[in-house]
Amino acid sequence: HLSPSPPCSSGFSRAPFPLTAHSLPPSPSPLSASLQYEQLSRVVLNKKLPSESDIEKYAQDNLNIHKKGIFRKKFSIRDMLSWSKDPIRKPMLVLSDKSLKKDAVEMFKLVQIYMSDRKAKLGMSLNSVALEICNYGYSKPALRDELYIQICRQTTENPRRESLRRGWELLAICLSFFPPSPKFQTYLDSYMNRHRDPNFDFPEVGKWPIHVQVSHYASVACKRLERGGEGGKRPPRKPTLEEIDQVRLQIFRPSMFGSTLQEVMALQKERFPHYKLPWIQTTLSDEVLRLQGAQTEGIFRVSADVDEVMSMKMQLDRWERPTDWTDAHTPASLLKLWYRELYEPLIPDTMYNECIQHHDNPIRAIQIVDSLPDINRLVLSYLVRFLQIFARSEVVQQTKMDASNLAMVIAPNCLRCMSHDPRIIFDNARKEMAFMRTLIQYLDTNYIEGVV
């Protein structure tokens, strides 16, 4: 049986994240701790796949082989891909830039600190260390593969349960902000997939033994890589302390932000089995109206306080209905953010060109809406009906936001131009706005009345 982790003495300060997060109950598994570690952490080196994407194949071709001892004996590939309590003296991968070499060595120390394998400096927290690590990867793309191979190493043959858990946690966190290079992506994906077991997909996995947790971490990390790596739609993003905290929590409590509509509906199914629309969409829309958004000048155009938006976002991700807010701009800004962060845009990419082509044709625009997948059609129709409230002349007199202004601020959250040509992006922005204005003016949304 696995016993709960002993109190950590790594030197982390208590805020903003407790060091004993996800403490585990004794394992119900009959396997001893040593057998569990052997099964789990040796799998990367012993379970060979008939594939060119094995991380060992990558290591043979790319590792910067280290030497040890007075005779400068070379480390084996296995040694260099296995957990180490010691720091490294040079990067694991070949780096030509001298400053990057120094950064790589310091980054490995931070990985060890995060995983509780190295004593932290006074004042450090898990979030601050993770932020420092992620800033290396975000700001210096040449270090990204180095970071990921370091984490792969420290999660292989790791004899410490809490260290192993934190290593996988760190991997999932980093993949929320930046991917590896396309060259390394298949190797990293292969490494993570070899630690997944679909039989371990059940509720409250965070309370289960470490080998079960690692399978869950690996699944989350694979999904984040799929969406943020080559072929994905999520661009790299600059990490912040708040975002670090959020993406860690979302490993075990998925967010309604950044998901697909289908995933959002699946998340709410147990709580709201009869809802046909996303709870978060209707809740935020109601909140805008409750806070007199229809009488607020610049609604949807004026930005809200960033801290208040983030606080409301966290509240909603806990399935708590907002009640203590006073500024209509806060739910309005968060509602736009939810639409904008949908992994698949509200109007699918496959229909984007059709929308641009018929941006000023009411009949064709309505036909496009009718041809959308059911959930997209319902969500878009609810949004348009909501905007039609604000397009009424008596409301526009107070908000100064007519149909054109509303379309201008909402269109970028519903349609995504796939081109990187600035001229096309600029020209299409006008047509995206015209398409949304056409819907606000002409789409019959009476059928959505009373639908939740």
Side-chain angles (χ1 to χ4, degrees), residues 72-250:
R72 312 306 294 150
K73 180 182 177 183
K74 288 185 178 181
F75 279 84
S76 68
I77 296 292
R78 185 186 184 102
D79 286 338
M80 288 196 63
L81 285 179
S82 298
W83 175 86
S84 174
K85 62 179 176 56
D86 301 316
I88 57 175
R89 298 180 183 274
K90 58 182 181 178
M92 291 189 62
L93 300 177
V94 177
L95 298 172
S96 56
D97 190 316
K98 190 173 181 180
S99 65
L100 290 180
K101 292 179 181 180
K102 184 178 178 181
D103 288 339
V105 172
E106 292 302 311
M107 193 166 63
F108 188 79
K109 292 177 183 176
L110 289 170
V111 170
Q112 289 181 309
I113 291 172
Y114 189 92
M115 293 176 64
S116 71
D117 296 326
R118 184 181 182 89
K119 190 174 181 180
K121 296 176 182 177
L122 187 64
M124 280 182 167
S125 68
L126 276 179
N127 283 350
S128 70
V129 175
L131 179 62
E132 200 169 345
I133 292 169
C134 287
N135 276 332
Y136 271 121
Y138 175 78
S139 62
K140 300 180 179 182
L143 284 176
R144 291 175 185 175
D145 289 355
E146 172 73 22
L147 172 60
Y148 286 123
I149 199 92
Q150 288 182 6
I151 298 175
C152 290
R153 172 182 186 167
Q154 293 302 95
T155 51
T156 300
E157 294 194 353
N158 188 329
R160 302 182 60 239
R161 184 186 69 174
E162 180 62 6
S163 171
L164 183 64
R165 185 195 69 76
R166 285 196 192 175
W168 279 96
E169 179 178 84
L170 179 61
L171 181 58
I173 289 171
C174 292
L175 285 168
S176 289
F177 297 104
F178 51 85
S181 70
K183 177 182 178 182
F184 186 55
Q185 179 169 331
T186 54
Y187 297 99
L188 181 59
D189 186 59
S190 172
Y191 174 81
M192 297 187 301
N193 267 298
R194 287 155 69 174
H195 290 82
R196 296 174 68 185
D197 188 334
N199 295 321
F200 291 156
D201 185 16
F202 41 71
E204 299 191 19
V205 68
K207 297 179 180 179
W208 284 77
I210 187 64
H211 63 290
V212 179
Q213 286 200 61
V214 165
S215 175
H216 178 76
Y217 280 116
S219 294
V220 172
C222 283
K223 185 174 182 180
R224 291 179 177 182
L225 175 59
E226 178 188 358
R227 295 194 169 180
E230 187 179 40
K233 299 180 180 180
R234 189 170 290 158
R237 55 186 176 134
K238 185 175 176 59
T240 65
L241 278 174
E242 293 76 14
E243 290 287 345
I244 292 282
D245 202 39
Q246 283 297 295
V247 299
R248 179 193 286 107
L249 291 173
Q250 290 162 11

Side-chain angles (χ1 to χ4, degrees), residues 3-9 19-20 160-162:
S3 59
S5 300
C8 179
S9 57
L19 290 174
T20 55
R160 302 182 60 239
R161 184 186 69 174
E162 180 62 6

